Amino acid sequence: DWDEAATDLELAAKVAKPSSASGSPTPVQGGHLKFVPGAPGLEDILGRLARAQFRAGERETAAALAQNVLESSPMQREACEVACTVLLDRGDSATALAVMLRCLIGHRNRPSSESADLVSGVMRRCSVEELLHVLAPKGQEALEQEQRKSVAEVVAYVGLIMKERSEVLD
């Protein structure tokens, strides 16, 4: 339940350290906190909190929190999910696609499954043509051969993620 997740994440945010630290305090047996390297940092917890709040129906609170997270951590995946949904609801598909692409590029060395919710959420509401326009605003013809390959790789990666989720691009 998203309300419960939001409550738990609010508690975790109170003891988390910024992501620039090598980990965050994590509750261990007996209720004590232990510094665990690799544990999610504050920005990740706040991004997850924004997504939980958004899915629990607290859209305005979640949108404001996501915006704050993205100001300090522009590729935080869950905050990007919230921001993209808000942007798409406002009819700003180009900016939503740009946010999605920035996040995808920032997480290119991570498993594609980690970005599946973000990509699927955006691409369900955007066309491939819109994606291509964001990648090449002046059209494919205006791009050099190497740039065309890069655009093709990004579109193929988005397609792969959609295929892995058994969703089809329009």
Side-chain angles (χ1 to χ4, degrees):
D1 152 276
W2 288 108
D3 289 321
E4 188 176 323
T7 301
D8 291 345
L9 288 164
E10 286 171 351
L11 293 173
K14 292 178 182 177
V15 296
K17 291 188 184 261
S19 293
S20 57
S22 61
S24 296
T26 303
V28 294
Q29 192 172 11
H32 300 285
L33 294 177
K34 178 182 177 187
F35 191 73
V36 179
L42 179 61
E43 292 84 359
D44 286 333
I45 290 171
L46 291 175
R48 292 171 188 173
L49 174 59
R51 180 179 62 182
Q53 289 175 334
F54 193 82
R55 291 193 179 169
E58 300 174 38
R59 295 176 61 91
E60 289 182 27
T61 303
L65 179 57
Q67 182 176 348
N68 286 337
V69 169
L70 291 174
E71 286 173 4
S72 63
S73 186
M75 291 177 286
Q76 203 294 320
R77 201 172 13 258
E78 291 83 2
C80 286
E81 271 184 61
V82 173
C84 286
T85 303
V86 170
L87 289 163
L88 289 166
D89 288 348
R90 292 180 185 164
D92 191 354
S93 60
T95 305
L97 285 162
V99 169
M100 177 193 82
L101 290 169
R102 179 184 64 207
C103 189
L104 264 182
I105 291 167
H107 294 279
R108 67 187 169 276
N109 295 325
R110 305 289 308 155
S112 61
S113 59
E114 291 182 8
S115 297
D117 286 342
L118 171 64
V119 171
S120 295
V122 173
M123 292 309 298
R124 259 189 249 118
R125 298 176 63 183
C126 295
S127 68
V128 177
E129 289 76 18
E130 289 175 295
L131 176 61
L132 285 169
H133 183 71
V134 169
L135 289 166
K138 295 180 182 177
Q140 291 283 327
E141 310 78 39
L143 299 177
E144 306 254 340
Q145 184 63 27
E146 199 59 34
Q147 291 172 316
R148 285 185 192 157
K149 287 180 184 177
S150 295
V151 168
E153 287 176 8
V154 171
V155 172
Y157 188 57
V158 168
L160 172 70
I161 292 171
M162 297 297 289
K163 181 182 176 216
E164 288 174 349
R165 291 289 294 261
S166 297
E167 298 190 31
V168 178
L169 293 173
D170 291 330

